[in-house]
Amino acid sequence: MGIGAASDELLGTFVPIAVYWLYSGLYVALDGVGRLDGYRLHTREEAAAKNVVSKAAVVRGVLVQQAFQVAVSLTLFAVIGDESGTGQKQPPALVIVLQFITAMVVMDTWQYFMHRYMHINKFLYKHIHSKHHTLVVPYSFGALYNHPLEGLILDTIGGALSFLVSGMTPRTSIFFFSFATIKTVDDHCGLWLPGNILQALFSNNSAYHDIHHQLYGNKYNFSQPFFVMWDKILGTYMPYSIEQRKGGGVESRPAKLD
């Protein structure tokens, strides 16, 4: 059964999209608070100079990806759906926690290797992945700004695999994909905020991901959106420190450059 009038399948499809725009909208609102400029990883001037794509184009690009996401999600739920209409019974809380962890590991593993390959393969980088890297200075609602094919491969297929391998129910998927969405937006927010629990709990955070978006870091820090284990295991992790920037603000400064 769904929560209220909507089915769990519909909620699992559309709630993460709503969360994306609501959470990124929060960061847009914070961007207008001048007092927070001291926590920006890049200055406003640097963002204007380095980002070569308009914000309107970014919004359109994200909406295209989310349209593909909706189509795949509804198709997947239709294929595996319970024809009885009663819905799947939720397992015990411990099982749900294990499903969450499994889904996180599956998503990270898929996205690490697909993401890294899109950097290694010059054709894929030039024609597909470089679109995301036009945002040298990331910001919240640009988190899912990708070539549609990249969005399909990394995010949509990666999400479907996480759902299927973990064995979670459609109801659990509402919470998992909403959390994954919040995490992805947070990683691209461009701010290093004190008290941000996601940045405190996860090594894979806005500062870590900012390194990857810089020219010196595009061979490092491929992991997303949760852990950094594959980068550390396979030698693509670039250590960094948060330093005060001359003129105000902070920056994610690499500890080594090969």
Side-chain angles (χ1 to χ4, degrees):
M1 297 293 290
I3 300 174
S7 69
D8 292 337
E9 289 81 1
L10 284 177
L11 291 171
T13 299
F14 289 103
V15 167
I17 293 174
V19 167
Y20 182 89
W21 293 109
L22 288 171
Y23 193 60
S24 62
L26 173 63
Y27 275 115
V28 171
L30 290 175
D31 189 56
V33 180
R35 288 178 299 176
L36 294 181
D37 281 0
Y39 302 105
R40 295 176 63 94
L41 292 169
H42 297 270
T43 65
R44 295 177 185 273
E45 294 74 19
E46 188 178 3
K50 290 186 175 182
N51 288 345
V52 298
V53 60
S54 71
K55 291 184 176 180
V58 168
V59 170
R60 290 194 296 269
V62 172
L63 290 174
V64 168
Q65 173 165 335
Q66 289 176 333
F68 278 98
Q69 180 180 319
V70 167
V72 172
S73 177
L74 292 178
T75 301
L76 176 62
F77 283 134
V79 170
I80 67 171
D82 182 359
E83 295 182 358
S84 70
T86 59
Q88 297 181 41
K89 183 179 178 181
Q90 286 293 95
L94 179 59
V95 174
I96 293 176
V97 170
L98 292 175
Q99 290 173 337
F100 248 73
I101 295 172
T102 300
M104 291 167 76
V105 172
V106 170
M107 182 175 284
D108 266 33
T109 300
W110 175 263
Q111 292 205 1
Y112 174 86
F113 287 101
M114 293 296 102
H115 183 196
R116 184 176 178 180
Y117 185 66
M118 286 190 177
H119 276 267
I120 294 172
N121 186 296
K122 293 181 179 180
F123 178 86
L124 290 178
Y125 184 83
K126 179 179 179 180
H127 297 284
I128 305 295
H129 187 55
S130 62
K131 183 173 182 177
H132 183 66
H133 280 273
T134 56
L135 295 180
V136 178
V137 179
Y139 52 81
S140 59
F141 62 89
L144 292 182
Y145 178 66
N146 299 309
H147 188 285
L149 182 59
E150 175 180 351
L152 178 65
I153 294 173
L154 260 71
D155 299 308
T156 306
I157 294 179
L161 287 172
S162 300
F163 173 79
L164 293 171
V165 173
S166 68
M168 67 175 60
T169 65
R171 180 165 297 185
T172 300
S173 77
I174 300 169
F175 301 98
F176 174 74
F177 290 116
S178 294
F179 175 58
T181 297
I182 288 172
K183 185 67 177 59
T184 299
V185 169
D186 209 80
D187 293 345
H188 289 80
C189 71
L191 294 170
W192 186 255
L193 292 173
N196 184 318
I197 191 169
L198 293 176
Q199 294 177 359
L201 290 178
F202 289 89
S203 297
N204 193 328
N205 51 40
S206 59
Y208 160 91
H209 195 65
D210 182 72
I211 292 289
H212 176 73
H213 270 259
Q214 308 314 305
L215 292 177
Y216 57 74
N218 65 8
K219 294 181 180 179
Y220 301 91
N221 295 9
F222 297 110
S223 294
Q224 53 187 35
F226 300 112
F227 310 117
V228 299
M229 60 180 183
W230 287 115
D231 277 311
K232 289 192 172 183
I233 290 170
L234 297 175
T236 54
Y237 178 76
M238 179 179 281
Y240 62 89
S241 59
I242 304 298
E243 306 289 345
Q244 293 295 315
R245 184 172 56 238
K246 291 182 179 180
V250 294
E251 63 179 344
S252 179
R253 188 175 299 169
K256 69 170 185 177
L257 285 174
D258 291 339

